[in-house]
Amino acid sequence: MSVSKLRIGCAGLGRMGKRHALNFLERTPRAELVAASTPDDTEIEWAKEHLAPYGVKLYKNYDDMLKHEGLEAVVVASATAVHAEQAIKAIDVEKHVLCEKPLSTNVEISQQVLDAAAKKPHLKVMCGFSRRFDASYRDAHRKMTTGDLGSPSVLRSQTCDKLDPSGFFVAYAQFSGGIFVDCSIHDIDLALWFFGQDGKVKSVSAVGITAVEPDLRKHNDRDNAVGLVEFYNGKMAYFYASRMMAAGQEDTTEIIGTKGKVTVNAQPQINLVNTYDNGGVHREIPQHYYDRFEYAFVTEANEFTASCLENKPVPLKLEGAVQAVRIGAALQESLITGQKIFFEEDGSRANKSRL
Amino acid sequence: MSVSKLRIGCAGLGRMGKRHALNFLERTPRAELVAASTPDDTEIEWAKEHLAPYGVKLYKNYDDMLKHEGLEAVVVASATAVHAEQAIKAIDVEKHVLCEKPLSTNVEISQQVLDAAAKKPHLKVMCGFSRRFDASYRDAHRKMTTGDLGSPSVLRSQTCDKLDPSGFFVAYAQFSGGIFVDCSIHDIDLALWFFGQDGKVKSVSAVGITAVEPDLRKHNDRDNAVGLVEFYNGKMAYFYASRMMAAGQEDTTEIIGTKGKVTVNAQPQINLVNTYDNGGVHREIPQHYYDRFEYAFVTEANEFTASCLENKPVPLKLEGAVQAVRIGAALQESLITGQKIFFEEDGSRANKSRL
Amino acid sequence: MSVSKLRIGCAGLGRMGKRHALNFLERTPRAELVAASTPDDTEIEWAKEHLAPYGVKLYKNYDDMLKHEGLEAVVVASATAVHAEQAIKAIDVEKHVLCEKPLSTNVEISQQVLDAAAKKPHLKVMCGFSRRFDASYRDAHRKMTTGDLGSPSVLRSQTCDKLDPSGFFVAYAQFSGGIFVDCSIHDIDLALWFFGQDGKVKSVSAVGITAVEPDLRKHNDRDNAVGLVEFYNGKMAYFYASRMMAAGQEDTTEIIGTKGKVTVNAQPQINLVNTYDNGGVHREIPQHYYDRFEYAFVTEANEFTASCLENKPVPLKLEGAVQAVRIGAALQESLITGQKIFFEEDGSRANKSRL
Amino acid sequence: MSVSKLRIGCAGLGRMGKRHALNFLERTPRAELVAASTPDDTEIEWAKEHLAPYGVKLYKNYDDMLKHEGLEAVVVASATAVHAEQAIKAIDVEKHVLCEKPLSTNVEISQQVLDAAAKKPHLKVMCGFSRRFDASYRDAHRKMTTGDLGSPSVLRSQTCDKLDPSGFFVAYAQFSGGIFVDCSIHDIDLALWFFGQDGKVKSVSAVGITAVEPDLRKHNDRDNAVGLVEFYNGKMAYFYASRMMAAGQEDTTEIIGTKGKVTVNAQPQINLVNTYDNGGVHREIPQHYYDRFEYAFVTEANEFTASCLENKPVPLKLEGAVQAVRIGAALQESLITGQKIFFEEDGSRANKSRL
């Protein structure tokens, strides 16, 4: 008797690519990492040491990897700029796709992935919003779904990075789509998850500052930003994103229902240790999002694999990933123009100055 | 040897009036409550039992109380609608004044109190923002002032009431000035305190919903609202106010500096008890703002008294109280019109549609 | 109409004496501090400034104070060595007595106070165990009393002082009765409160070390000690006392019932502030027991006063204070001898070596 | 190029056996689970479904499994009664051994495993104390090792199970060695880890009750027990074990040094979610020790594997496992006899009645 495993390849071996590759190699029992691709020589060297000895075939060219004999699925973990292109290519040659977020920083390009996937309904195409796979967020969603806490009405959520004193995020801002598309996209996805994915946006407005990195303005970005999103169904969400946290990663969410609320990570901590000294009581918190969401990524890999092998729907719909980019891009626009943006119920821009 | 005490009268004996009266009677050693006034018969009955036996003279008419022999100061704790009028009358007859917040729901009327006080610089006139006297907020302010946490740049603050199932707050909304003037005024005051009282507002925008009480719309109010305030000095604040909390009063603030942050009440609790049963771990939280801020009011009474007796400045400037009403009223306007409001640096309205 | 107040005198104006005097002067509306006594010149000077101006008569001699015209009650806050003597003298001349804990470090002398009080049932005689008046402990007791958490069966409690680098507690150990009588007496009292005051002790055993102050051994004391108390009714308690805490005062209790438990102060904190910096999240805790229990002492003063004025029972029985000393002294004996001590149900020592 | 993996077999497929088998199968990349043995038919059925399809050979007889071609190591996860026998058999035929705790409930039999291992220093033999592999405990140990918190002097630790209303633990008590050997063994191991493994015990004493299951007395056991251990090096530890927790598993530890302390799990929680409803704030906690320590077991499997493959010392010494049983058995004896037990520095029993 033998067990068939999902033969998957990993596109991109940068920071997240390495993690996805190792997760599929070591922590996804039903998957077999058979290939990996990267144009980067340093990454190839890393892969020769960490992947090749376990039977993973390495490719410098993504298109070549797609032709790997027996390949069934691809995890796209390359630079954001090529997410959509690589995802579409994989779909075209009949591979299942797990794509890192965002599909693209551009709404239209994101939509192209959705369109490509729509033509191949037998393929599993998923955009990896890691929080959907996090045990705490899932528990919060389950509790909110029981109805005991009433109707979810207000969502507050933040994605706040520890300050990187190297200022790397300034250069990065050139390609990131801006802080709302890069960071708040997770919070926006949570709003869609908790409020219902077909909630229609009525207005967005945003304000931001550059408290530590004025140079961000060159790339139309800010280091701290707050956004407000109003939905037609009488719900609202507000988001805070920051590149300036001193203590570490602070991704916190609260979902407020008419009869109660749930909070996720309102009291951040890296583990169960508290230290007492003559300065008081201290605890440490996660430094980066992977410290916080490591196991969510493992769950994501396993559940995507199960969906492919068992031909069942992926846990989150691709439409939401496009909608999240749409909202994020509108918030970013509002952040830069200073103008509040209104939408009609059909999604088109509204002119509210008549109000 | 004898010690002179501040002879004070209390105007209004409603919910807060009773508390102020008792605080000055029993918990302010350097003050002597000599008089109290209320037009309300039920309140007079209460005062006959709780105040009169201790030598407090009762008046049905505020003007009569102002003529009480030897009266030096007045605490104005009547209905908001008469705050300003009573404060100004007291100033006119040379009494120190501690006035409950807000001075008025109307900016111009608030300004009149400030103008009256300006003519009598020897009098102590203070608007009681209770959080300024709370030990936790003071500790947070002290920590932020050291500079170790960098420059305060982002402030998040919320004033959220426990849901009153009687819906009393619907009728109350007719006179409250709206949720931003009634609730968020405290958070606005905190922004002025932590950011510097002379911060100039650049824009305000707000969104709100009626999740539990649609009838609030009749009074141009909402039961949940989020507001954004942008300052010209590169700082920003965002506020959440709600009438819908299930567990109790949730007044939480975080002040985020460029090198660290402080939080106040991020993990609310009524005391130091946790209960463990087969449903998990439980704790209770304050039910009303007085549960949370009782001792702040006592400190306020004592410090106001000390300022009067020792002729030293009151702990918070009256200008801030007017500025807080101005910002609160603008947020409320934005909430109702849906429009973002811009200001010039001189405080006048700007027309930003040209942007 | 006039209100009669309890005319009380304060014996002793050391650290706790000053606090009691001020509490009765300023924070106990129904009491009038009319007198205070201390043989100490420095304390007299303090009193001339802080008490005399408010009409408090000062005495260098306790016996003289007892003759103060109209004196109705005495708070005994002098050195432990004279607690019992002063309490008995006051009882003898028909004064109500609030005595600081412990009545005495000696069981027989403690019993003498109880005997004296028994002869004057019309007098209110109370030993001040402050935690009985603390809002959190009272809430815990109320929750345990409902029965929802089952029968209280195991109690863990600790009284742990912040390390005093001056080593003052070494000299103090000569008179304190030892760490179990000085510190754990509070925890023992809690066991009697939660388990029922007539619980009969079956055995006690204790172990201790001198981790920071070996000199304590000269006074038959330790700087860290753990004690176990077994009751005949199938319950048990264990106590930890320390002079070595780095962060501050850590007085923590948990009461474990057959269906649940309550904890008090399992997560100590001085206020609601948390600070985040690049070392993590920090909070401060109370430095001394008065930081933690200040309001409990105020409540104690007020409730004792009400008992006297209204001739109703004091909130805690004097028998418990003697029983607490008995258990504390046995623990201290076990700590020093290293031997476990057994008791018969009638309270006499048992010889268990036959087991 | 190929990578050699450790070929391991799993003895026993009960609750913990299943977990170990799956951990070595799926979550230990450098190991290959090649065999498993159990005499139990139900467990064999489970293994046919979950292990056999992945190439694991199943044996009904442990001795047969030991002969499995190429087998290099064994994880002993069978009933405690056969731990030692199976471990010794494996050592005899040159297998590395990871043995579940305790080696045996009997000190002499535990020592036999140590003796057998001593003869084969080239083999890796480890007793799995899972907390040694838990990220929080490791962080606590690291912090204590820096010296910043002074010398670790007092350790408090508890292992407390959620009440199993089926009362299964009564029957289980017949074979468990008693609550100190079954539960507190983990806490004892922590004391050896934090205090130094060669600490010599000076005395032990214990007290216990049967609050929920009087029938435990038939098996010389209790449902709640507290134990005190005094060491010759001036340190002490105290332990609480319970079968009666209402909310879930509560394994909490604090290590108190002369300059500070660390706590592990002083505020238990299953995840980062808090729920707010009109009863207050709620959180859930782990229900069983595997909920709490799942990832510690995974780390244990991986580190044991690395030690075998790289021929480096296992992370914890086998001597400690015998010492832990010795202390646990002495505590259990003290619990039942009611007598305090004293030891000479050479480990022999002392007669302290002469003191």
Side-chain angles (χ1 to χ4, degrees), chain A residues 11 37-38 59-67 74 76 85-90 97:
Chain A
S37 77
T38 172
Y59 295 89
K60 291 208 67 168
N61 184 290
Y62 175 71
D63 295 344
D64 292 344
M65 184 179 78
L66 282 185
K67 295 172 194 153
V74 174
V76 175
E85 178 193 333
Q86 292 190 338
I88 292 169
K89 279 183 176 176
V97 176

Side-chain angles (χ1 to χ4, degrees), chain A residues 4-9 30 32 34 66 68-74 90 93-97 123-124 304 308-309:
Chain A
S4 77
K5 296 191 173 191
L6 182 73
R7 290 180 298 275
I8 193 165
R30 301 180 69 187
E32 183 183 358
V34 296
L66 282 185
H68 184 95
E69 172 89 31
L71 187 75
E72 295 168 287
V74 174
V93 296
E94 301 292 322
K95 310 300 178 199
H96 304 296
V97 176
L123 293 179
K124 308 301 167 192
F304 172 73
C308 296
L309 289 174

